[in-house]
Amino acid sequence: MLENWLQPAGRDIPASAFSTGGPSLGTSILQLEDFSRGKDSVEVALIGVHKQSADEVRKQLYSLASPERPEAVIDLGNCRKTSGNFIGPLLKELLQSGILPILLCEDQRLIATQFQAYRGNRRSINAVVVDEKIRFNPEEDDPATFPLNK
């Protein structure tokens, strides 16, 4: 069912991203094709939104040492579409299954989509934004420029 939303990733990532001298995240985590057989142990899902930028993050991430329980992490690939209306139901489905989705994305406008997906499943929400500049200014009204305001 996830294939409706996602396409596998990692095929364009060079082999050098996987070699660290020991078990690396890239050689240990499950991929989209493995989801049905490993979904009971999966706790965290990586999802790329824009293929090029998500694969750049993967190149660095995959070379890191493998976690203690690599089967708890799955890379579901890249979204087939990048709109919030498309991604929102995917996030909700993963959250309802007890899987924490992590978006590899440069589009901060998707913060509102993520918030709405979490809102129905949890009483409190913690947000982490990794960026060179956190775009938040409660005195401004433009949601395109300051997506965290919403």
Side-chain angles (χ1 to χ4, degrees), residues 36-58:
S36 60
R37 72 172 168 82
K39 68 180 174 185
D40 293 333
S41 62
V42 171
E43 296 175 10
V44 176
L46 304 174
I47 303 166
V49 176
H50 300 94
K51 182 185 180 334
Q52 185 175 356
S53 60
D55 283 352
E56 286 299 317
V57 171
R58 284 184 178 99

Side-chain angles (χ1 to χ4, degrees), residues 57-108:
V57 171
R58 284 184 178 99
K59 286 178 187 177
Q60 302 302 313
L61 193 62
Y62 280 14
S63 67
L64 298 175
S66 177
E68 274 186 45
R69 293 186 47 239
E71 73 278 0
V73 181
I74 189 165
D75 188 337
L76 291 177
N78 297 308
C79 290
R80 293 187 183 275
K81 297 181 183 176
T82 60
S83 72
N85 292 336
F86 185 81
I87 295 170
L90 168 63
L91 298 177
K92 286 180 185 177
E93 182 175 322
L94 290 169
L95 288 167
Q96 289 170 349
S97 299
I99 299 172
L100 174 69
I102 297 176
L103 292 183
L104 306 177
C105 170
E106 60 190 41
D107 188 353
Q108 287 199 10

